[in-house]
Amino acid sequence: MKPIKVGLLGLGTVGTGVVRIVEGHQEDLQSQTGSAIEIAKVLVSNKNKARDISIDPSKLTEDPWEIIHNPDIDVIVEVMGGIEQTKSYIIEALSRGKHVVTANKDLMALHGTEIMAVAQEHGCDVLYEASVAGGIPIIRTLIEGFSSDRITKIMGIVNGTTNYILTKMSQEGASYSDVLKEAQALGYAESDPTSDVEGLDAARKMTILATLGFRAKVALDDVSVQGISSVSREDIQYAKRLGYELKLLGIAERQDDEFSISVQPTMVKQTHPIASVNGVFNAVYVHGEAVGETMFYGPGAGGMPTATSIVADLVAVVKNLKLGVNGKQGVMTYKEKKLKTDEQISSKYFLLLHVADRAGVLARITQVFADFEVSLESVLQQPNPVNPEAEIIVITHDANKAAIQKVLQTFEELDVIRKVKSVYRVEG
């Protein structure tokens, strides 16, 4: 085959990693694909900017259409980020018969269905392995590795920033605000960390994973989202004392073709493998009816891990070109979307209550749970020298979300409950 020419949109950390791998692993890539792969043109914001990679200046351009409209370019690799403008570039590239590899989770979560439809119409590939978990090949695994199975649950740590923050809070007893500042100084968190710490980044990734795992058109609005900004040192200390770690988990569950998707701080049993995933690492746990439990672990971000997934997608595109099957291997979302109601979403819950320290309080609290048919696994009263009021910890048995919401609403009206300090889902 003639050399495959690639147009690269973006030359930041990830784009630089793509160039390094393509140019440095050329022999390996040719042996896998039977064709040379050439970075023919690169979109940058400033051609004169100093860079830590040597690249032919004639390959640099500040005009995206110079790449997209170039008839010699076969594949567009998009690592520039953004949504609406980037979407227009990709749609135009697909309409001209160019295949696309992207790491853009925001774009695929919001417009993936539309983009895949355009790709299918024009017989093009759109591959996006790097959009969810960096160097972990979870998308290819869901599409190919589980093609013969029926996935019932996907649970993951899919945001390295929040996992780093919660790990430091757990291991060092640091406060949320102090660790966030440290994460920003180290480059793990943005100057505006909202997307990460409020769970929005993880929600976009879970939208993609649920769409692939359940074969239904999942929208970002279908994901219930809660971030970690309200997590305190006390919450984590209580969790550890009870044998749990606190993690921001994305959870997608299916039962009888009805499913729920959420992102929320969750107490995970320390014996569960995902509880030991620390720092900026990611992990995705997948349960299939036939295979049972599996877990995939690795770096969820970073220039070279993410670039590795991008180049793997690039290799897949070239192989498809040789086989003449481009645009024929996309995941069909043939299932009707049926979201569970709050009455159907069930899990254990942890509640930390600040209550009046007098006789009869515990009886009133347990009666509220009984009124809404929520059974209790354990009830503990913990002394706290810095809190003059009593602290009661409750862990429920499996209870539906609607019942827990009614319990919390009732607690707001009880004079003996000063504050519902924390409520977390419990896994494992």
Side-chain angles (χ1 to χ4, degrees):
M1 290 182 67
K2 66 179 180 67
I4 300 301
K5 294 193 175 183
V6 176
L8 180 63
L9 304 184
L11 194 59
T13 302
V14 176
T16 298
V18 171
V19 174
R20 290 190 194 282
I21 293 175
V22 169
E23 294 186 347
H25 299 183
Q26 194 61 218
E27 184 179 356
D28 293 332
L29 297 176
Q30 287 193 47
S31 70
Q32 293 181 65
T33 64
S35 178
I37 297 176
E38 175 191 348
I39 304 293
K41 211 72 176 173
V42 182
L43 176 68
V44 295
S45 59
N46 181 359
K47 291 195 293 184
N48 300 316
K49 177 183 175 181
R51 307 180 194 282
D52 61 358
I53 187 172
S54 177
I55 189 166
D56 184 347
S58 68
K59 291 186 175 183
L60 302 180
T61 179
E62 297 174 9
D63 180 6
W65 304 113
E66 188 178 341
I67 295 176
I68 295 165
H69 292 164
N70 187 332
D72 295 328
I73 288 178
D74 306 287
V75 185
I76 300 293
V77 173
E78 184 273 307
V79 289
M80 60 185 288
I83 299 177
E84 296 304 327
Q85 185 65 67
T86 307
K87 174 190 169 186
S88 70
Y89 296 159
I90 287 177
I91 294 293
E92 177 67 12
L94 292 170
S95 71
R96 290 174 174 267
K98 301 184 190 304
H99 310 289
V100 172
V101 174
T102 179
N104 196 323
K105 62 182 175 296
D106 300 333
L107 179 67
M108 294 308 295
L110 293 171
H111 301 296
T113 300
E114 179 185 353
I115 288 169
M116 297 305 289
V118 174
Q120 189 173 34
E121 178 186 352
H122 293 279
C124 294
D125 286 338
V126 174
L127 302 183
Y128 48 99
E129 181 65 70
S131 66
V132 170
I136 304 173
I138 187 61
I139 289 180
R140 189 168 287 106
T141 300
L142 289 176
I143 294 172
E144 299 175 5
F146 286 92
S147 60
S148 62
D149 205 349
R150 178 183 169 89
I151 294 171
T152 57
K153 185 174 185 178
I154 303 170
M155 180 171 74
I157 296 171
V158 292
N159 181 273
T161 300
T162 50
N163 201 46
Y164 175 84
I165 292 171
L166 293 176
T167 297
K168 295 283 282 189
M169 291 176 70
S170 174
Q171 294 180 349
E172 300 179 7
S175 70
Y176 167 81
S177 58
D178 287 344
V179 180
L180 175 58
K181 290 176 184 176
E182 179 182 333
Q184 289 171 319
L186 292 171
Y188 294 148
E190 302 289 342
S191 56
D192 179 0
T194 303
S195 180
D196 290 323
V197 301
E198 297 304 337
L200 305 177
D201 175 84
R204 292 177 181 121
K205 293 172 180 177
M206 290 307 299
T207 300
I208 295 170
L209 291 179
T211 296
L212 296 173
F214 301 153
R215 304 295 196 267
K217 293 180 181 178
V218 178
L220 185 58
D221 289 343
D222 298 329
V223 185
S224 172
V225 185
Q226 178 188 348
I228 67 165
S229 56
S230 62
V231 174
S232 67
R233 282 182 290 196
E234 290 74 22
D235 294 334
I236 290 178
Q237 289 166 359
Y238 278 132
K240 290 172 72 70
R241 194 180 306 173
L242 296 168
Y244 295 91
E245 291 291 340
L246 200 56
K247 299 290 186 181
L248 182 71
L249 293 187
I251 303 172
E253 295 178 294
R254 174 169 66 176
Q255 185 177 15
D256 299 328
D257 283 333
E258 295 179 322
F259 54 86
S260 63
I261 313 156
S262 66
V263 170
Q264 58 191 304
T266 304
M267 290 175 56
V268 185
K269 270 286 189 185
Q270 290 172 345
T271 52
H272 194 290
I274 213 166
S276 62
V277 177
N278 292 321
V280 295
F281 282 84
N282 283 192
V284 181
Y285 163 103
V286 182
H287 188 280
E289 287 183 351
V291 74
E293 298 180 355
T294 61
M295 194 174 86
F296 305 86
Y297 167 84
M304 294 308 289
T306 304
T308 299
S309 289
I310 289 168
V311 178
D313 277 348
L314 184 55
V315 167
V317 170
V318 178
K319 287 181 176 179
N320 288 346
L321 274 168
K322 293 189 70 175
L323 295 170
V325 294
N326 296 106
K328 301 182 186 301
Q329 295 181 320
V331 174
M332 298 297 293
T333 53
Y334 59 91
K335 290 282 189 181
E336 181 185 354
K337 181 170 69 178
K338 299 179 182 177
L339 297 176
K340 289 183 178 181
T341 65
D342 287 348
E343 287 77 14
Q344 294 172 303
I345 300 172
S346 180
S347 69
K348 292 182 178 181
Y349 286 88
F350 162 97
L351 294 89
L352 173 59
L353 309 175
H354 290 179
V355 303
D357 191 7
R358 61 174 186 258
V361 170
L362 185 57
R364 293 184 68 182
I365 290 171
T366 55
Q367 184 59 52
V368 173
F369 284 106
D371 290 343
F372 296 105
E373 300 181 346
V374 176
S375 62
L376 306 182
E377 180 179 289
S378 62
V379 180
L380 303 171
Q381 183 165 345
Q382 299 282 349
N384 187 336
V386 300
N387 183 5
E389 298 170 332
E391 291 188 346
I392 292 178
I393 294 172
V394 177
I395 296 180
T396 73
H397 287 294
D398 277 345
N400 70 68
K401 185 177 178 180
I404 293 296
Q405 289 172 338
K406 291 175 182 176
V407 167
L408 296 174
Q409 290 169 2
T410 304
F411 282 170
E412 291 180 1
E413 301 167 3
L414 283 184
D415 60 345
V416 297
I417 294 183
R418 304 296 191 235
K419 183 178 183 181
V420 178
K421 173 64 175 61
S422 307
V423 181
Y424 297 115
R425 177 171 173 150
V426 177
E427 281 284 336

